[in-house]
Amino acid sequence: MRKYNTAELRESNYRHHYHPFTDHGDMRRKGARIITRADNVYIYDSDGNRYLDMMAGLWCVNIGYGRTELAEAARNQMEQLPYYNSFFQTAQLPAVELAEVLSEVTPPQFNRVFFGCSGSDGNDTVLRLVRYFWELQGRPERNIVIGRHNSYHGSTMAGASLGGMKGMHAQGGLPIPDIVHIDQPYYYMEGGEMDEQEFGLQRARCLEEKILELGADRVAAFIAEPVQGAGGVIIPPDSYWPEINRICRQYDVLLCVDEVICGFGRTGEWFGSDTFRIDADVMTLAKGLSAGYQPVGAVMIADRIAEILDDKAQEFAHGYTYSGHPVACAVALRNIRILREEKIIENARDHVMDYFHEKVLSLQAHPLVGEARAKGFLAALELVKNKSTRERYGSDGSTGVYCRDACLEKGLIMRAVGDTMVMSPPLVITREQVDEFHGLALDVLDHTLKGVGP
Ligand SMILES: *Cc1c(COP(=O)(O)O)cnc(C)c1O
C-alpha cells in the first residue's frame, strides 16, 4: 500500500487550501484528515485508518464507493466527446438520454429538465425560473419566495438566501431581497407539549399565514426539503406535507421541492416526493443523481410550467458552461442504470431499512440520547443533558463536536449538527454493517457521556 507523509500533506493543505465550512484555526491545531481511497461503505485516510462512512460522503454516495462501471462510463465518454455545451440549440447524447431517463424515474408531472453542476446552482436556477414563470404571464410583482428557517438549499447567493441558516445569512448580507422564511416542523425541539400531528398542521399553516400576510398575488413559490438534511435530519410529522400541498394549490403558489438529499432512494422510495406524496411543480436534484462520482445537478420542471415556457417562446437567459456536461451526464446515467438493474433502492427498503431503524431507535435507551429518529436511510440522535426536559448541554454544539471526534477515533463517520448527530449511509449498507455501526455508536456514546458528564 502507498505510504503518505501525513504531516507534510497537512502543512501544505493548511497553507494553500481554503476549505468550505471549516474553522481554519481549529484545522491547524488538529490537522486535516486526508482521505486517500474508499471502497463500498468504507473510507481510508493517509495513515491507513478505516472508517465506516455513515454519511455516504456528504449524503451523496448512495451506491457506495468503488463502482468501476462509473469510471468506465466517464472514460468512454471522455474519449468520444469530453465536452460540448447545450447552449444555442445544441445537444449531445448523454444529456438527451439522461433527460429522458429522469422523466421516467421522477413523478409523472416532470418531463423536462434543466441541467447544472450542483444543488446550489440548481436552486439559483429555481429562483430565476419561478420568477420568470410569473413574469412571462405578466405578473412580475409575484416574485417573493418563501423558505423555512434552518433549511439548507446550498451556498450560492440564491441557495443560501432560500435556505434558512442564520450563520450563513450573517455573512455577506443575506438573504437577497424578496425571500422570506417561516418556522420549521421540528417537533422534538419546538413541539413542546403539543400533539405531534397537531404541531405538523400548525407549522404547515405558517405557510398559509405568511401567504395571507404578504398577499397571494405577491408570492411566487415555496421551497422546502422533504426531510431537512443539514438542519439536523428533521422528519416532518405525517400531517405536514398534505397540508402544504393543499395550501400551495389553494393560493396557486409554486411548490419547489429540494430533493438534493432525499432523491435517488434516501427515504426508501425514489424521491422524497414519493414517500411524502408531495405534489411539486419544480424539483432540485444533485448528490445521489451521480452518487457523487461527478458534480452534476438538475432542475425538474413540471408540465404546467413547461407549457408556459414553450408558449411564450422567449429565451431563458440563464445557463452554465457545464449545463448537461457529457461526462457528468454519462456517469449519472450509469448510476441510475445500476440503481434500476440492481434494484438498490427496493433492496434497501425491503431488506435493510427496518433493521437500521430498529438499531438506531434502540440507541434512545442510552442516557445521552433524548430522541433517536429515522426515515429511510436518514437518521438522527439528539444528544441532551436531561431527557425529560430536552435540555441541551449548551448552545455551542460542543457536545456534538466531542461525539463526532470520538466517532473518528473509533473509525466511524457521523456528522454533528449542533448537538444532533446525523447519519445518511450508502444505500448498499448491509445488516452486518448496520450491526458494526450499532456497536461503534454505543461505544462512542459511552465515551462521550464520560467526556461531557451526566
Ligand atoms: C447539499 C444540498 C444542496 C447544495 O448542493 P451542492 O451540490 O452542495 O451545491 C442543496 N440542497 C440540499 C437539500 C442539500 O442537502
Side-chain angles (χ1 to χ4, degrees), residues 63 66-83 92-95 97-98 289-291 293-294 296 325-338:
I63 64 167
R67 295 296 305 236
T68 51
E69 302 94 320
L70 271 61
E72 278 158 30
R75 186 197 172 97
N76 292 340
Q77 186 56 45
M78 279 194 196
E79 287 174 351
Q80 179 79 29
L81 178 71
Y83 173 75
Q92 19 75 21
L93 287 179
E97 280 178 50
L98 181 60
L289 169 56
S290 66
Y293 281 62
Q294 280 285 291
V296 59
H325 192 288
V327 177
C329 288
V331 169
L333 268 171
R334 196 70 185 82
N335 171 53
I336 294 174
R337 212 172 107 196
I338 290 174

Side-chain angles (χ1 to χ4, degrees), residues 21 58-59 117-123 151-156 159 223-231 257-262 284-287 295-297 415:
F21 289 107
L58 268 180
W59 328 81
C117 318
S118 71
S120 298
D121 71 50
N123 285 325
S151 61
Y152 187 77
H153 298 301
S155 273
T156 49
I223 185 167
E225 305 153 82
V227 173
Q228 285 154 267
V257 66
D258 184 340
E259 294 261 11
V260 171
I261 286 179
C262 292
T284 318
L285 305 174
K287 293 194 171 118
V296 59
R415 176 165 160 187

Side-chain angles (χ1 to χ4, degrees), residues 61 115 128 153 180 183 269 290 344 347 373 416 436-437:
V61 188
F115 287 116
R128 294 202 63 203
H153 298 301
V180 300
D183 283 337
E269 303 288 338
S290 66
I344 286 178
N347 284 333
R373 57 176 178 268
E436 184 187 346
F437 152 72

